[in-house]
Amino acid sequence: MADFRVVRGSSIKTILSENPQRSIDMIEAAYLAHHDGETINPDSYFLKFSAKSPNRIIALPASINADINVSGIKWIASFPENIKNGIPRASAVLVLNDQSTGYPFALLEASFISSSRTAASAVLAAYWLNERNKKVDSLAFVGAGVIARNIFDMFIATGWDFERIIIKDFDKTSSHAFSEHIAKSHVCELDSSCDVNKALNADILVFATNAATPHISPPHKFLPNQIILNISLRDISPDLILNAVNLFDDVDHCLKANTSPHLAEQSIGNRSFVTGTLANLIRNEITIDRSLPLIFSPFGMGILDLALGKYVFDEACSRGLSILITDFFAENERW
């Protein structure tokens, strides 16, 4: 019978913060395993409490083979009202299951794993869309919350350089806090004027909002070869999606639930606007038309949490940072 272990959030944050590039490498490996048919990633399951409530808890089951070889599930809660009480909106745990027996062998606090994999996915896409160059003049964030902060931190921790950073958020408290956070770690021109036009002209534009429907539409427009990281998925109107190069982590996953790409598909009745996946780009299987804006829309798959979670678990065990729970299983033998 395998041991059952628990890994605290503080240990996970220490491990992931020490080597951010390792997170990006693990996310790239997960994307390529998915591309090669080495994963199972069913739809996420949503526990909703009422038609009017924004609260939800989401289950993301998945399995990944390749060199990672683990199954499991992330159980992540999103309660937006938490922000008013000064606590994070999201909380999560990750269960890891043995591939040969199905037995769960670990429980990990997963909020930092979840935010780190989201940030790593965004920065990985920016790296490949920017032709593996880590320097641009301007970076803009529409939305100044925890996700934006983690994406910025991942950019800086992995050696990116920016001359100017622009923040657009109607919440002045969030905008101010994010501006102060940026100023502590990166010397550059910082613009938090909330001018959407300035943000929309940045070399790399990150959408990290809680928007439920598109709010960026013509006459607003994106620029040729501009990189748009469509993390929150619902900010951009179908018109702008249709006039861009569109890359995804997984096309089928992202074209549902009234995301901006899903709305674009509904508007024209086909997927002709789909260029491919980030894995296609990494494998040099597609050509990018740089006369158009470049939009990356990641739905966020459970395989990413598993890839990062398994890496963290192995590191925690090797460093003595996991907690062994003895007699976790009621029975160790069939008879």
Side-chain angles (χ1 to χ4, degrees):
M1 183 68 65
D3 292 335
F4 188 85
R5 294 178 179 271
V6 173
V7 186
R8 294 187 180 96
S10 56
S11 299
I12 291 167
K13 189 170 185 178
T14 296
I15 291 168
L16 290 178
S17 297
E18 285 177 354
N19 188 358
Q21 183 60 49
R22 181 62 174 164
S23 295
I24 292 178
D25 293 342
M26 291 305 301
I27 295 310
E28 181 174 284
Y31 279 147
L32 294 178
H34 187 62
H35 177 274
D36 295 338
E38 293 287 332
T39 66
I40 302 171
N41 202 104
D43 289 343
S44 303
Y45 299 89
F46 289 73
L47 175 63
K48 298 181 180 179
F49 298 94
S50 73
K52 295 182 179 180
S53 173
N55 298 335
R56 57 187 184 174
I57 309 179
I58 312 165
L60 286 81
S63 181
I64 182 167
N65 294 322
D67 294 330
I68 300 168
N69 199 38
V70 71
S71 297
I73 189 167
K74 180 175 73 172
W75 182 239
I76 181 166
S78 175
F79 280 54
E81 291 295 310
N82 286 354
I83 296 172
K84 296 180 180 179
N85 298 317
I87 61 176
R89 172 184 58 81
S91 58
V93 294
L94 178 67
V95 177
L96 302 181
N97 292 76
D98 182 78
Q99 291 278 58
S100 59
T101 67
Y103 270 82
F105 62 86
L107 178 71
L108 289 76
E109 195 282 327
S111 60
F112 198 73
I113 290 173
S114 186
S115 61
S116 294
R117 63 85 149 155
T118 299
S121 171
V123 174
L124 176 68
Y127 174 72
W128 283 96
L129 286 171
N130 202 44
E131 300 179 283
R132 289 180 280 182
N133 178 12
K134 292 186 176 183
K135 181 176 176 60
V136 297
D137 288 337
S138 56
L139 169 68
F141 290 90
V142 177
V146 172
I147 292 175
R149 182 194 71 195
N150 288 329
I151 292 172
F152 166 78
D153 288 347
M154 188 67 72
F155 270 124
I156 300 307
T158 54
W160 283 73
D161 186 31
F162 308 100
E163 296 294 326
R164 183 164 57 107
I165 296 178
I166 304 157
I167 300 170
K168 165 77 171 82
D169 195 307
F170 289 118
D171 186 304
K172 292 183 179 180
T173 300
S174 296
S175 181
H176 179 71
F178 191 28
S179 296
E180 287 193 332
H181 178 77
I182 291 172
K184 291 176 183 177
S185 59
H186 193 66
V187 178
C188 65
E189 179 186 344
L190 186 58
D191 185 344
S192 56
S193 63
C194 290
D195 185 332
V196 68
N197 290 311
K198 290 181 180 179
L200 295 182
N201 289 329
D203 296 316
I204 298 179
L205 170 58
V206 181
F207 284 102
T209 74
N210 58 4
T213 57
H215 57 98
I216 302 297
S217 57
H220 293 307
K221 63 180 181 179
F222 301 131
L223 304 175
N225 205 36
Q226 182 184 16
I227 297 168
I228 298 98
L229 303 177
N230 184 28
I231 307 305
S232 40
L233 290 176
R234 293 174 175 84
D235 302 86
I236 306 170
S237 75
D239 310 60
L240 297 177
I241 294 288
L242 293 172
N243 289 285
V245 168
N246 286 280
L247 295 183
F248 303 87
D249 53 0
D250 181 277
V251 176
D252 289 333
H253 277 276
C254 200
L255 268 66
K256 61 182 61 172
N258 287 330
T259 62
S260 293
H262 187 209
L263 295 177
E265 179 188 28
Q266 293 175 58
S267 70
I268 63 171
N270 62 63
R271 297 183 174 184
S272 60
F273 61 92
V274 172
T275 306
T277 66
L278 180 56
N280 289 140
L281 179 62
I282 294 170
R283 287 276 173 82
N284 198 31
E285 296 172 348
I286 54 176
T287 301
I288 299 297
D289 182 355
R290 296 189 177 275
S291 69
L292 296 172
L294 316 177
I295 301 178
F296 175 59
S297 299
F299 198 74
M301 298 185 290
I303 57 169
L304 306 184
D305 300 285
L306 287 182
L308 213 50
K310 182 59 164 55
Y311 159 68
V312 166
F313 174 77
D314 290 342
E315 283 290 304
C317 290
S318 69
R319 301 184 192 191
L321 296 176
S322 66
I323 303 166
L324 176 62
I325 308 297
T326 59
D327 299 323
F328 181 79
F329 297 100
E331 297 181 342
N332 293 319
E333 296 179 354
R334 185 165 177 254
W335 294 105

